[in-house]
Amino acid sequence: MIKLENVSKAYPGQAQAALRDADADIDKGEFVFLVGPSGSGKSTFLRLLNKQEEPDTGRIFVAGKDLGQMSSWKVPLLRRNIGSIFQDFKLLPTKTVAENVAFALEVIGRPRSVIRSQVPAICELVGLGDKMTKYPDQLSGGEQQRVSIARAFVNRPLILLADEPTGNLDPQTSIGIMRLLDRINKTGTTVVMASHDRGIVDTMRKRVIELSNGSIVRDQDRGVYE
Amino acid sequence: MAFRPDYLVRETGQNLLRNPSLSLATILTVFISLSLMGVALLFQSGIDRLNSVFQDEVEFIVWMDKDAGPVQIELVEDTLDNNLYVREHWYIDKDETWVEFQSYYADRPEILELLTKEQMPTSFQVAPKSSEVQLIEGLREELETVEGVSDVQFASEAIENIARFSRVTSLSMLVAAIAAGLAAALLMYNSIRTAVFARRREIEVMRLVGATKWFIRIPFMLEGLIQGLIGAFLSIFSVFALNQTFDNLFTSFESVTFRDVALPDWQILYIGGWLMLIGALIGAIGAGIAVTRYLDA
């Protein structure tokens, strides 16, 4: 599903590369943690997968497509197959829960009938069936993250990228979010999650890819944070 | 990639109303710059009409008295025939003058009703061998003394002066119009950029969930298009008002020639069409560039 071959990436003006000679192969339906301290290259890894960044060298394949060969007009189509969630949720404060979720379908031109049936179903799935008319600032942090997961998943993507999704949440709430991500993974969606939350990584016992200064230093099945 | 019309209307409407003072400033700038452009076009067309009265080589027209008889006409014709400096001349009789007069005043039946063909003056159109001012001056002095001649209308004097004056004014007005047009496009660019900036989170989400660039761009371009069209529409009124002023002014001169500086309504509409097109282009393209720069950043 995801394959990196000798991928390197440096940002202009920074002496040290964000990612160095990274190789990785992630199968369909896998759940993978990217671990490592801040600045080790986790976010860059994720941003390369949906073409928010371009690698300097190396090749990246996502869902069988070589991203380096992909013309720019096809990038939106790629992103429709990749859901993204973030530490800061990126919800739109002027829209309700249902509108935030519907927005993701609206802007890719889905018909209204699809939106009417899909939005309530996905809100139910993430446990917010009774809060669809609330605004983000009326929700707790955990609930807001559930909205952003609903938005990322409503289009049934093949891949879900999560960049520190529990970074702003307390441990108890984080467990709920991880259960939800696990459920989504069980439907066959490949999940790649960057985290430096030791407790979560150790409890989940999933595959762990550890990054240090831009290099992959460990790739272990059923791993722990260390 | 189907656009739902309700989405487009809602997004564009929200954009326009989000920052009303900026929208208004943009519309006013377009209005002012296109008004200037319209006035420059008005001058240009007026001068073109004026010049068309004097056919290419005709340097002056000798108007006969209304009741000049055949003898007097023949006298003038002899004078022209015998003058070494006259290359060509044509006699325009009452019939021809009447036809021309009717076409000038086609949109003013009240004037045509007051006059008859018999009241039309006849005239000679004269093309001299050279357009040297002294030579033409001499010719005029000679012709004005011939019996039956009421007036010698002198192209190189009256028309050329006005043409020169209007060339300078319409050129400087065109320059001002282009400068104001640039200002309008820049203001449009800035206004849309502010709108884009206010919606950067939304745009970020749109890009992440896979909205195409055109999908993001089009509501903003539509916003610019509407602002441009409103500004252009308003500017047509100022051009129209100025033309009315010309019309009143020159009609009071009682001169057939100068009355033509004011344009008929259909020609104002033609200028208006151009202004609408330019306004729409400035609006849509300015906005398109502003969004694109943000999308690529």
Side-chain angles (χ1 to χ4, degrees), chain A residues 25-77:
Chain A
D25 203 336
I26 298 170
D27 285 334
K28 185 176 186 334
E30 271 199 277
F31 194 120
V32 181
F33 281 115
L34 295 176
V35 302
S38 299
S40 58
K42 304 189 298 290
S43 293
T44 301
F45 191 113
L46 292 177
R47 291 170 65 82
L48 286 166
L49 296 184
N50 62 1
K51 235 168 152 22
Q52 288 194 79
E53 303 285 353
E54 304 290 335
D56 298 331
T57 58
R59 299 216 288 173
I60 303 170
F61 297 88
V62 173
K65 301 274 185 349
D66 184 343
L67 297 195
Q69 302 290 315
M70 185 177 279
S71 51
S72 64
W73 69 269
K74 279 189 173 162
V75 174
L77 304 178

Side-chain angles (χ1 to χ4, degrees), chain B residues 35-45 169-171 173-174 177:
Chain B
S35 294
L36 278 172
M37 200 174 282
V39 170
L41 284 173
L42 193 69
F43 264 114
Q44 202 53 59
S45 313
T169 40
S170 74
L171 186 71
M173 235 176 310
L174 204 66

